[in-house]
Amino acid sequence: TYFMLPPLVELVLSPFLEPLVDVVDQGMGGAGMQPARRHLWTTIKDSTHAAAQLLIIAGGAWLASLALAIVGLMPLAFLVAAFVNALTWFELPSYRRGYGLRARLAFLADNWAMAVGFGLAFQIGALIPLFNIFLLTPTAAVSAAVLFLRMDKRALTLTRR
């Protein structure tokens, strides 16, 4: 269930996290960075589609991590989970710019070290009592938006939704 939690949380809270990402975009991107204006129902529909894709990937990652843990490669299983967390939380800033799952996979693979570092930080944050309930989700949304603006975007120029 741990693998399924980030996509489910992102699905439920995504419409409410958009304003946070707007503030990050405007604060870091300057006056020229316009927020993505989407209707609430459009956001919910898009989030549901993205969450369905992520749940399928998370299920496959769960099976892969289970196999890795059985053969004694637990650290590698944590890295797989970290990448799935990054894939989940980078959905919001990348989708707002018109990038789908394939582009996000290429983007995170190109920036794998920062993506896995973000995912590991998310996993550690999930273990901290009270922080995990009240602050982890907004912190993850803001952190992903900040990292998205700072990461190398050459992989994104190749694919759009």
Side-chain angles (χ1 to χ4, degrees), residues 58-70:
W62 178 77
L63 290 174
S65 292
L66 184 61
L68 290 169
I70 288 172

Side-chain angles (χ1 to χ4, degrees), residues 120-143:
L120 288 172
F122 180 86
Q123 288 176 294
I124 292 168
L127 299 174
I128 301 171
L130 296 179
F131 175 77
N132 59 3
I133 296 171
F134 298 111
L135 296 173
L136 184 60
T137 301
T139 302
V142 168
S143 300

Side-chain angles (χ1 to χ4, degrees), residues 4 7 50-62:
M4 306 305 173
Q53 290 176 325
L54 290 170
L55 282 171
I56 291 168
I57 291 171
W62 178 77

